[in-house]
Amino acid sequence: MKTTATKNTAILLAQCPDQQGIIAGVTDFLHSNKGNIIKLDQHVDKELNHFFMRVEWELDGFLIPQEKIEDFFKTLIADRYEMQWKLHFSDQPARMAIFVSKMSHCLYDILQRWASKEWETEMPIIVSNHTNLEYIAKRFDIPFYHFPITKENKVEQEEKMLELLAQEGIDLIVLARYMQIVTETLIGTYRNRIINIHHSFLPAFIGAKPYHKAYKRGVKVIGATSHFVTEELDAGPIIEQDVVKISHRETVKDLIRKGKDVEKLVLSRAIWLMLNHRILAFQNRTVIFD
Amino acid sequence: MKTTATKNTAILLAQCPDQQGIIAGVTDFLHSNKGNIIKLDQHVDKELNHFFMRVEWELDGFLIPQEKIEDFFKTLIADRYEMQWKLHFSDQPARMAIFVSKMSHCLYDILQRWASKEWETEMPIIVSNHTNLEYIAKRFDIPFYHFPITKENKVEQEEKMLELLAQEGIDLIVLARYMQIVTETLIGTYRNRIINIHHSFLPAFIGAKPYHKAYKRGVKVIGATSHFVTEELDAGPIIEQDVVKISHRETVKDLIRKGKDVEKLVLSRAIWLMLNHRILAFQNRTVIFD
Amino acid sequence: MKTTATKNTAILLAQCPDQQGIIAGVTDFLHSNKGNIIKLDQHVDKELNHFFMRVEWELDGFLIPQEKIEDFFKTLIADRYEMQWKLHFSDQPARMAIFVSKMSHCLYDILQRWASKEWETEMPIIVSNHTNLEYIAKRFDIPFYHFPITKENKVEQEEKMLELLAQEGIDLIVLARYMQIVTETLIGTYRNRIINIHHSFLPAFIGAKPYHKAYKRGVKVIGATSHFVTEELDAGPIIEQDVVKISHRETVKDLIRKGKDVEKLVLSRAIWLMLNHRILAFQNRTVIFD
Amino acid sequence: MKTTATKNTAILLAQCPDQQGIIAGVTDFLHSNKGNIIKLDQHVDKELNHFFMRVEWELDGFLIPQEKIEDFFKTLIADRYEMQWKLHFSDQPARMAIFVSKMSHCLYDILQRWASKEWETEMPIIVSNHTNLEYIAKRFDIPFYHFPITKENKVEQEEKMLELLAQEGIDLIVLARYMQIVTETLIGTYRNRIINIHHSFLPAFIGAKPYHKAYKRGVKVIGATSHFVTEELDAGPIIEQDVVKISHRETVKDLIRKGKDVEKLVLSRAIWLMLNHRILAFQNRTVIFD
């Protein structure tokens, strides 16, 4: 959601080794070109001596033409500070692919937000290793791609997926309770652009059946964690976490039921942050400018 | 806090293998002796086929004299259902020993509740392996016992502690950030009567320095867990857990500061439940009748 | 969700003036007829001297035939204690009518739970004063009834609604952001069976545009309230409330977006409680046996 | 708590009508004088076209001497943008006066944080209209001033208070459950420097006995609100709010007990924000840079 409904904006996400004068440099670049800053956030990780920044400004009135901003910013600012950075424009919504298996709660939560225009995003494809949820894709008129996965065909199937993703110009992959471990090729191609929802408050209950483990341990809260997918299972940079209280009265079935509500919200909040370019990842941690 | 301010009550905590007719048996025993039930809670663990119950009734008008209730209940009810059970009376508040090391936030939180009569309990002793907090004990006029612990003297010192605890008629031991692992002898003597506060949402971040581990993992919530102490570190039956949200802006120092607030509340809630006889433990899980 | 997946149960909800022996009376009635109690909850409102109870027992093995339980219970128990009571059977799921206007978030949340069989309920009709959401009803193959409302036709239209509701055997009406005040006739006919979601933590911000009011007041939390509908606006017995934190960064548009997530969960939790016969209402308050 | 433990910093809080170039102006002023920015936060209220800023920088290496910063900043920056602003230095901790009546939970919570050096603040006086808590002040060796208040002597007593506050160089007044309405003179003298804790989630349950009102209304959450004191009762700019869930099982006494825990945390969080110069107030709303 844009801060102003009517005006197009540019959003810069940047990080670099910390040094004096970065903010002054960036804001002077914007100000001297008549860029009106709507929102500026910065963070310094003192331990790692690393600088993070998000700045959003109005394109209307900005003296550098939209198509030249990248080039000018790179030359005048980014290269001087050794920045890793990315520029987004509010009039170019991200294209999202949803991966699902058999459970529908996260999928519906996402589709409702998209269909009601709560989110500005394009949703060209739904991908699944099963056909159980194909009827939902049909209800929402979204093309559904079925890639059944076996040990033998996994690599081959993912190659086809990668082709499809490239062809569709996908920016962001959401694993909405997709019960498959994705390969390092996919992870590498979409580094910090694949969001997974894990049904526990990580790092507790990594891997399969976290609600069963939670029940067995007798915990009094359960939770969910959305994170970027990395090569190590359930160990990627955490975007969002939340919990719900439980009691001895709840069975495993109740934990699953209650947990679903946390899962879908924690996943959707992460997607919203991503669609609004509010997440920076560095060394297995995230900086969230909300 | 008693449900009624003015009337003395008896509180029964019981558990046994499940079978038909237990509630009918207990309530008939009470009703036929003119016991007015104020609060009855029960729970059946269907998986383990185990029954749990808490019932509180007014002593005023009850036909069995207070000193004979135990004997009558045992013979007429408990033995028939193979119950593990315990009877408490609201006019006999528990006697609590607080164990501390160097941090004062949990200690003050406990003392404030006791001093302001929020809790009905007796607090005859504070025990510590350091002298740092002795001045607080003095401020509240509570005898302070210093047992410095080394590898060599640990067993010997705990023997002295056990003597002291016995002599003082201690019902409940609270480890209010007591930074020592207690021995199996102490644990066995006060089985399910030693409450510890661990500064993470268990089972995440077991052991030392959980806030440092939480920071390193990049979690977005931190928490605290109060639990009964068992022979295995940080693995006893959990009584209460809570969390607080954190962001990338928080350093380890901030996590420690924010975490303290969760710790003290989660510990004090557990103590309140214990003082009100609302906790039953079975096979590493708790049933909390709140 | 039944406590046991496989067995049919009876659920009794009852309330009456408090007196000694009610629990003993009910449990003896069940026990002497071989009724295995799965869950028993009771509550005494000491101030009003009023007794509340919920008890669930297995029908399998119960000596009184299912169709005669009502009669027997009435004669042997209920009449003696002047009970207001209702008997439910787990194999007879409630029939729910959803009323909507233009916003889809609550509607989808409900439909997803029904379609995925998270809830055991029947959903024969969707009713609306607008046609905006008709396409969603179609997607889920649920008959959609359009009753446009004007000042002039309101009474007449509600009469038609009442006919439809009666004809469809509706047990429960859910106002899922239905932006119309319903008449006293409808309220009276479905006393404590119409659930509304209000988009504030009542009693703050009663009436229209609560998010605008919340923004103007500068609150740091917003919330939602599900409640039974009574003759007085937003003043009925509260079933469930929850909140979410906000900051100065959030505009009214953001409050609306964040609030929707609270609304849909708070409404769905209330419906779940209702479908599982866990709510008793008395004098504008609810007793929730969760 | 300073962001860096070892280095002294300057903290600027500023607000002004929004226009292009403010951030560029301020950061250029700092950068060109070798000021290393530790933390910069800004906010634009688009509706009111108002700009807010907090910036913290290291004094070490800053080319303008500490005692001249105010003058230079005023002339070179503040006056040009018509700023309302205030400069703070991390080596000059605020001096806080606590006002209490008879309840000790907030007072102890504050004193524990001060005594354990969780907060960097000076606490020269405790003021009360009763003597009930004098013994606590004595325990912590803080001078206690008793100003009994009657309708007749109120104005006169507050004059004496104002003298005392001036004499002690008080920066911040905390009403820690001080059960007196303070006069407009005091409010005007310490505009946006008097923090009150109200025991409800405002704007619900304004005025006396909020827990009794909450019980009567049958709400399912209770809360607390810390806010700046203004001339209108319980209507000042809100700093922090939080809630806790309750159920039908809780009596008014239980609400009071549970509410105290929310009150003390919500008040202490507000004080921490104040001590760290993170609050800006404008037109009955606050901007909190946490």
Side-chain angles (χ1 to χ4, degrees):
Chain A
M1 187 176 294
K2 290 172 290 180
T3 307
T4 56
T6 45
K7 288 182 183 164
N8 286 332
T9 59
I11 297 140
L12 171 75
L13 283 176
Q15 53 177 291
C16 58
D18 191 28
Q19 59 173 281
Q20 272 193 31
I22 308 174
I23 308 173
V26 173
T27 56
D28 180 65
F29 167 77
L30 295 176
H31 181 50
S32 60
N33 291 295
K34 306 275 182 216
N36 189 35
I37 294 175
I38 285 175
K39 198 170 184 309
L40 180 147
D41 291 285
Q42 62 78 236
H43 173 65
V44 179
D45 185 320
K46 278 290 174 193
E47 209 174 301
L48 301 173
N49 206 37
H50 202 73
F51 176 86
F52 302 85
M53 186 176 200
R54 181 190 187 275
V55 58
E56 181 170 7
W57 69 96
E58 291 174 5
L59 287 171
D60 193 30
F62 193 51
L63 298 180
I64 305 172
Q66 187 166 341
E67 68 279 9
K68 292 192 181 171
I69 298 176
E70 283 222 359
D71 185 25
F72 278 51
F73 182 77
K74 183 179 185 308
T75 307
L76 298 174
I77 303 287
D79 287 353
R80 300 184 188 182
Y81 294 104
E82 296 173 67
M83 282 181 174
Q84 275 184 282
W85 60 287
K86 190 106 182 49
L87 198 64
H88 303 274
F89 297 107
S90 66
D91 61 355
Q92 296 169 8
R95 289 172 67 79
M96 192 197 307
I98 313 175
F99 282 44
V100 294
S101 288
K102 294 180 178 174
M103 301 182 84
S104 67
H105 57 292
C106 289
L107 178 60
Y108 267 120
D109 199 71
I110 291 167
L111 292 175
Q112 186 274 324
R113 293 171 200 270
W114 167 73
S116 69
K117 304 206 188 305
E118 180 180 311
W119 290 346
E120 286 187 49
T121 182
E122 290 169 17
M123 211 159 291
I125 53 169
I126 294 173
V127 169
S128 184
N129 54 337
H130 294 281
T131 55
N132 305 54
L133 304 182
E134 186 168 11
Y135 75 102
I136 300 176
K138 276 191 179 143
R139 280 180 181 171
F140 284 82
D141 293 321
I142 299 175
F144 180 89
Y145 293 85
H146 178 217
F147 294 95
I149 308 277
T150 61
K151 252 186 209 167
E152 288 70 33
N153 75 0
K154 186 160 198 168
V155 171
E156 187 188 342
Q157 289 289 64
E158 267 207 10
E159 271 168 30
K160 285 186 200 161
M161 279 186 206
L162 278 163
E163 259 175 64
L164 173 67
L165 295 167
Q167 188 181 302
E168 291 287 350
I170 295 304
D171 299 300
L172 170 64
I173 297 169
V174 174
L175 308 186
R177 297 299 308 272
Y178 179 63
M179 306 306 274
Q180 276 287 330
I181 294 171
V182 296
T183 66
E184 302 199 356
T185 312
L186 189 68
I187 294 168
T189 311
Y190 291 88
R191 175 71 57 199
N192 289 343
R193 292 191 290 150
I194 310 176
I195 297 178
N196 184 46
I197 180 72
H198 183 72
H199 37 317
S200 80
F201 46 82
L202 290 175
F205 310 128
I206 286 172
K209 292 199 174 289
Y211 293 126
H212 289 79
K213 290 173 188 164
Y215 181 83
K216 206 167 148 46
R217 178 59 189 91
V219 292
K220 298 297 184 186
V221 287
I222 55 169
T225 305
S226 53
H227 63 94
F228 288 126
V229 175
T230 57
E231 286 75 5
E232 193 184 338
L233 182 66
D234 297 335
I238 291 171
I239 301 167
E240 169 77 355
Q241 296 187 290
D242 210 344
V243 302
V244 65
K245 297 215 162 192
I246 55 163
S247 80
H248 63 271
R249 287 181 289 267
E250 260 97 29
T251 62
V252 171
K253 246 178 112 172
D254 294 320
L255 300 199
I256 291 170
R257 176 176 53 80
K258 286 199 153 181
K260 280 177 182 173
D261 286 353
V262 187
E263 292 167 32
K264 72 187 186 192
L265 291 197
V266 164
L267 178 57
S268 285
R269 281 187 218 139
I271 297 171
W272 186 86
L273 290 168
M274 197 71 181
L275 295 177
N276 287 274
H277 315 297
R278 290 164 181 268
I279 313 175
L280 283 157
F282 183 63
Q283 289 198 359
N284 217 41
R285 298 166 53 80
T286 59
V287 167
I288 311 276
F289 290 127
D290 57 352
Chain B
M1 188 177 293
K2 289 172 290 180
T3 306
T4 53
T6 45
K7 287 180 183 165
N8 286 331
T9 60
I11 298 140
L12 172 75
L13 283 175
Q15 53 177 292
C16 59
D18 191 29
Q19 60 173 280
Q20 272 193 31
I22 308 174
I23 307 173
V26 172
T27 56
D28 181 65
F29 167 77
L30 295 177
H31 181 50
S32 61
N33 290 296
K34 306 276 183 217
N36 189 36
I37 294 174
I38 285 175
K39 198 168 186 308
L40 180 147
D41 292 284
Q42 63 76 237
H43 174 64
V44 178
D45 185 322
K46 277 291 176 192
E47 209 174 301
L48 302 172
N49 206 38
H50 201 73
F51 176 86
F52 302 85
M53 186 176 201
R54 181 189 188 276
V55 58
E56 180 171 6
W57 69 97
E58 291 175 4
L59 287 172
D60 192 30
F62 193 52
L63 297 180
I64 305 173
Q66 188 165 341
E67 67 279 7
K68 292 193 181 170
I69 298 176
E70 282 221 2
D71 185 26
F72 278 51
F73 182 76
K74 182 178 185 310
T75 307
L76 297 174
I77 303 288
D79 287 353
R80 298 184 189 181
Y81 294 104
E82 296 173 67
M83 282 181 174
Q84 274 185 279
W85 61 286
K86 190 104 181 50
L87 199 63
H88 303 274
F89 296 106
S90 66
D91 61 355
Q92 296 168 8
R95 290 172 68 79
M96 192 197 307
I98 313 175
F99 282 44
V100 293
S101 289
K102 293 180 179 175
M103 302 182 83
S104 67
H105 57 293
C106 289
L107 177 59
Y108 267 120
D109 200 71
I110 291 167
L111 292 176
Q112 186 274 324
R113 293 170 200 271
W114 166 74
S116 68
K117 304 206 187 307
E118 180 181 311
W119 289 347
E120 287 187 48
T121 181
E122 289 169 19
M123 210 158 292
I125 52 170
I126 294 174
V127 168
S128 183
N129 55 337
H130 294 282
T131 55
N132 305 54
L133 304 183
E134 185 168 10
Y135 75 102
I136 300 176
K138 277 192 180 142
R139 280 180 182 171
F140 284 83
D141 292 323
I142 299 175
F144 180 88
Y145 293 86
H146 179 218
F147 293 95
I149 307 275
T150 62
K151 252 186 208 166
E152 289 71 32
N153 75 0
K154 188 161 196 166
V155 171
E156 187 189 340
Q157 288 290 63
E158 267 206 11
E159 270 168 30
K160 285 187 201 161
M161 280 185 206
L162 278 164
E163 258 176 65
L164 174 67
L165 295 167
Q167 189 181 304
E168 291 288 350
I170 295 305
D171 299 301
L172 170 64
I173 297 169
V174 174
L175 308 185
R177 296 300 307 274
Y178 179 64
M179 306 306 274
Q180 275 287 331
I181 293 172
V182 295
T183 66
E184 302 200 356
T185 312
L186 188 67
I187 294 169
T189 311
Y190 290 88
R191 174 73 56 198
N192 290 342
R193 292 191 290 150
I194 309 176
I195 298 178
N196 184 45
I197 180 72
H198 183 74
H199 38 317
S200 80
F201 46 82
L202 290 174
F205 311 126
I206 285 172
K209 293 199 172 289
Y211 292 126
H212 290 77
K213 291 173 187 163
Y215 181 84
K216 205 166 149 44
R217 177 61 189 91
V219 292
K220 298 297 186 187
V221 286
I222 55 170
T225 305
S226 52
H227 62 94
F228 287 126
V229 175
T230 57
E231 285 75 4
E232 193 184 339
L233 183 65
D234 296 334
I238 291 171
I239 300 167
E240 169 77 354
Q241 296 187 289
D242 211 343
V243 302
V244 65
K245 296 216 163 191
I246 55 163
S247 81
H248 63 272
R249 287 182 288 269
E250 261 96 27
T251 61
V252 171
K253 245 176 112 173
D254 293 320
L255 301 200
I256 291 170
R257 175 176 54 80
K258 285 200 155 183
K260 279 178 184 173
D261 286 353
V262 186
E263 291 166 33
K264 72 187 186 191
L265 292 197
V266 164
L267 178 58
S268 285
R269 282 187 217 137
I271 297 171
W272 185 85
L273 290 168
M274 196 70 181
L275 294 178
N276 287 273
H277 316 296
R278 288 165 182 267
I279 313 174
L280 282 157
F282 183 63
Q283 289 198 359
N284 218 41
R285 297 167 53 80
T286 60
V287 167
I288 310 276
F289 290 126
D290 57 353
Chain C
M1 186 177 293
K2 291 171 290 181
T3 307
T4 55
T6 45
K7 288 180 182 164
N8 286 332
T9 60
I11 298 139
L12 171 74
L13 283 176
Q15 53 176 292
C16 59
D18 192 28
Q19 59 172 281
Q20 272 192 31
I22 308 174
I23 307 173
V26 173
T27 56
D28 180 65
F29 167 77
L30 295 177
H31 181 50
S32 61
N33 290 296
K34 306 275 183 219
N36 189 38
I37 294 174
I38 286 175
K39 198 168 184 312
L40 180 146
D41 292 284
Q42 62 77 237
H43 173 65
V44 178
D45 185 321
K46 279 288 173 194
E47 210 173 302
L48 302 172
N49 206 36
H50 202 72
F51 176 86
F52 302 86
M53 187 177 200
R54 181 190 188 273
V55 58
E56 181 171 6
W57 69 97
E58 292 174 3
L59 287 171
D60 192 30
F62 193 52
L63 297 181
I64 304 173
Q66 186 166 341
E67 67 279 7
K68 293 193 179 170
I69 298 175
E70 283 220 3
D71 186 25
F72 278 52
F73 182 76
K74 183 178 186 309
T75 307
L76 298 174
I77 303 289
D79 287 353
R80 300 186 186 181
Y81 294 103
E82 296 173 67
M83 282 180 174
Q84 273 185 281
W85 61 286
K86 189 105 179 52
L87 199 63
H88 303 275
F89 297 107
S90 66
D91 61 355
Q92 295 169 9
R95 289 172 68 79
M96 193 197 307
I98 314 176
F99 282 43
V100 294
S101 288
K102 295 181 177 174
M103 300 183 84
S104 67
H105 57 292
C106 289
L107 178 59
Y108 267 122
D109 199 71
I110 290 167
L111 292 176
Q112 186 273 324
R113 293 171 200 270
W114 166 74
S116 68
K117 301 200 189 309
E118 181 181 310
W119 289 346
E120 287 187 49
T121 182
E122 289 169 19
M123 209 158 293
I125 52 169
I126 294 174
V127 168
S128 185
N129 55 338
H130 295 282
T131 55
N132 305 54
L133 303 183
E134 184 168 11
Y135 74 102
I136 300 177
K138 276 193 181 142
R139 279 180 182 170
F140 284 83
D141 293 321
I142 299 175
F144 180 90
Y145 293 86
H146 179 217
F147 294 96
I149 308 276
T150 61
K151 253 184 208 168
E152 290 69 34
N153 74 0
K154 188 161 195 167
V155 171
E156 186 189 342
Q157 288 289 64
E158 266 206 12
E159 269 167 31
K160 285 187 200 160
M161 278 186 206
L162 277 163
E163 258 176 65
L164 174 67
L165 295 168
Q167 187 182 304
E168 290 288 349
I170 295 303
D171 300 301
L172 170 64
I173 297 169
V174 174
L175 309 185
R177 297 299 308 272
Y178 180 64
M179 305 306 273
Q180 275 287 330
I181 293 172
V182 296
T183 66
E184 302 200 355
T185 313
L186 189 68
I187 294 169
T189 312
Y190 290 88
R191 175 71 58 199
N192 289 342
R193 291 191 291 150
I194 310 175
I195 298 177
N196 184 45
I197 181 72
H198 183 74
H199 37 317
S200 80
F201 47 82
L202 290 174
F205 310 128
I206 285 172
K209 293 201 174 287
Y211 293 126
H212 290 77
K213 291 173 187 164
Y215 180 84
K216 207 166 147 46
R217 178 59 188 92
V219 293
K220 298 297 185 186
V221 287
I222 55 170
T225 305
S226 52
H227 61 94
F228 288 125
V229 175
T230 58
E231 285 75 5
E232 191 184 339
L233 182 66
D234 297 333
I238 292 172
I239 301 168
E240 168 78 356
Q241 297 187 290
D242 210 344
V243 302
V244 65
K245 298 215 162 192
I246 55 163
S247 81
H248 63 272
R249 287 180 289 268
E250 260 98 26
T251 61
V252 172
K253 243 177 112 173
D254 294 319
L255 300 200
I256 291 170
R257 175 176 54 80
K258 285 198 155 183
K260 279 178 184 174
D261 286 353
V262 186
E263 291 166 32
K264 72 187 186 191
L265 292 197
V266 164
L267 179 57
S268 284
R269 281 186 218 138
I271 298 171
W272 185 86
L273 290 168
M274 196 71 181
L275 294 178
N276 287 273
H277 316 296
R278 288 164 182 269
I279 312 175
L280 283 157
F282 182 63
Q283 289 199 357
N284 218 40
R285 297 166 51 82
T286 60
V287 167
I288 311 275
F289 290 127
D290 56 353
Chain D
M1 187 178 294
K2 291 172 291 182
T3 307
T4 54
T6 45
K7 289 181 182 163
N8 286 332
T9 60
I11 298 139
L12 171 75
L13 284 176
Q15 52 178 293
C16 58
D18 192 28
Q19 60 172 282
Q20 271 192 33
I22 308 174
I23 307 173
V26 173
T27 56
D28 181 64
F29 168 76
L30 295 178
H31 180 50
S32 61
N33 291 296
K34 307 277 184 216
N36 189 36
I37 294 175
I38 286 175
K39 198 168 185 310
L40 180 147
D41 292 283
Q42 62 77 236
H43 173 65
V44 179
D45 185 320
K46 279 289 175 195
E47 209 173 300
L48 302 172
N49 206 38
H50 202 73
F51 175 86
F52 302 86
M53 187 177 200
R54 181 191 189 274
V55 57
E56 181 171 6
W57 69 96
E58 291 174 6
L59 288 172
D60 193 30
F62 193 52
L63 297 181
I64 305 173
Q66 187 165 343
E67 68 280 8
K68 294 193 180 170
I69 298 176
E70 284 220 1
D71 185 25
F72 278 52
F73 182 77
K74 182 177 185 310
T75 307
L76 298 173
I77 303 288
D79 286 353
R80 301 185 186 180
Y81 294 104
E82 295 173 66
M83 282 180 174
Q84 275 186 279
W85 60 287
K86 190 107 181 49
L87 198 63
H88 303 275
F89 297 107
S90 65
D91 60 355
Q92 295 169 8
R95 289 172 68 78
M96 192 196 306
I98 314 175
F99 281 43
V100 294
S101 287
K102 294 181 178 173
M103 301 183 83
S104 67
H105 56 293
C106 289
L107 178 59
Y108 267 121
D109 199 70
I110 291 167
L111 293 176
Q112 186 274 324
R113 293 170 201 270
W114 166 74
S116 69
K117 302 199 188 311
E118 181 180 311
W119 289 346
E120 287 187 48
T121 183
E122 288 169 21
M123 209 158 294
I125 53 169
I126 294 173
V127 168
S128 184
N129 54 337
H130 295 282
T131 55
N132 304 55
L133 303 183
E134 185 169 9
Y135 75 102
I136 300 177
K138 277 192 180 144
R139 280 181 182 170
F140 284 82
D141 292 321
I142 299 175
F144 180 89
Y145 293 86
H146 179 218
F147 294 95
I149 309 274
T150 62
K151 254 185 208 167
E152 289 71 33
N153 74 0
K154 187 161 195 168
V155 171
E156 185 190 343
Q157 288 290 62
E158 266 206 11
E159 270 167 31
K160 286 186 200 161
M161 278 186 207
L162 278 163
E163 258 176 66
L164 174 67
L165 295 167
Q167 186 181 306
E168 291 287 349
I170 295 304
D171 300 300
L172 170 64
I173 297 170
V174 174
L175 308 186
R177 299 299 308 273
Y178 179 64
M179 306 306 274
Q180 275 288 330
I181 293 171
V182 295
T183 66
E184 302 200 355
T185 312
L186 189 67
I187 293 169
T189 311
Y190 290 88
R191 175 71 58 200
N192 290 343
R193 292 191 290 149
I194 310 175
I195 298 178
N196 184 45
I197 180 74
H198 183 74
H199 37 316
S200 80
F201 46 83
L202 290 174
F205 310 127
I206 285 172
K209 293 201 174 286
Y211 293 125
H212 290 78
K213 291 173 187 163
Y215 181 84
K216 206 166 147 49
R217 178 59 189 92
V219 293
K220 299 296 186 187
V221 287
I222 54 169
T225 305
S226 52
H227 62 93
F228 288 125
V229 175
T230 57
E231 284 75 5
E232 192 185 339
L233 183 65
D234 297 334
I238 291 172
I239 301 168
E240 168 79 356
Q241 296 188 290
D242 210 344
V243 303
V244 65
K245 297 217 161 190
I246 55 162
S247 81
H248 63 271
R249 286 181 289 267
E250 260 97 26
T251 61
V252 172
K253 245 178 112 172
D254 293 320
L255 300 199
I256 291 170
R257 176 176 53 80
K258 285 199 154 182
K260 280 178 183 174
D261 286 353
V262 186
E263 291 165 31
K264 72 187 186 191
L265 291 197
V266 165
L267 179 57
S268 285
R269 280 186 218 139
I271 298 171
W272 185 86
L273 291 168
M274 196 71 182
L275 295 179
N276 287 272
H277 316 295
R278 287 163 182 269
I279 313 175
L280 283 156
F282 183 64
Q283 289 198 358
N284 217 39
R285 298 166 51 81
T286 59
V287 167
I288 311 275
F289 291 127
D290 57 352

